[in-house]
């Protein structure tokens, strides 16, 4: 899921392993988060936007995989099964928020 600036979420397409609880990628002006919901809990991994070093997108015929690397040496945030347009939008949001922070 991509959380757009107007807070309208977009869910990751359903595939094997996320039929009931799809993974969500949320991009805000402060951080990038990967949220994996379960029946009774949530697993959330957040990375401050200032610590994002790169955003890599690997595209297939339909789906894309996103890898968000940090400059702090922590493990990257990865997510698969996104539409190409959504993956590009995630990268665009991160880059625009980083540009705003530098001003």
């Amino acid at each position: 899921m991509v959380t757009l600036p107007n807070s309208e979420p977009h869910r990751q397409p359903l595939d094997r392993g996320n039929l009931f609880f799809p993974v969500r990628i949320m991009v805000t002006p402060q951080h990038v988060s990967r949220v994996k919901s379960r029946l009774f809990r949530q697993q959330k991994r957040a990375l401050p936007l200032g610590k994002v070093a790169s955003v890599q997108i690997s595209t297939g015929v339909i789906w894309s995989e996103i890898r968000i690397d940090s400059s702090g040496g922590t493990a990257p945030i990865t997510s698969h099964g996104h539409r190409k347009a959504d993956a590009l939008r995630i990268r665009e949001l991160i880059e625009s928020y980083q540009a705003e922070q530098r001003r």
Side-chain angles (χ1 to χ4, degrees), residues 73-90:
T74 59
I77 293 177
T78 58
S79 184
H80 68 279
H82 295 277
R83 293 183 300 178
K84 289 179 187 181
D86 293 335
L88 293 172
R89 180 70 176 138
I90 290 170

Side-chain angles (χ1 to χ4, degrees), residues 1-12 24-26:
M1 163 170 142
V2 178
T3 301
L4 300 175
N6 62 3
S7 298
E8 256 185 56
H10 177 76
R11 295 198 176 274
Q12 173 182 355
R24 300 181 313 265
I25 300 288
M26 298 187 298

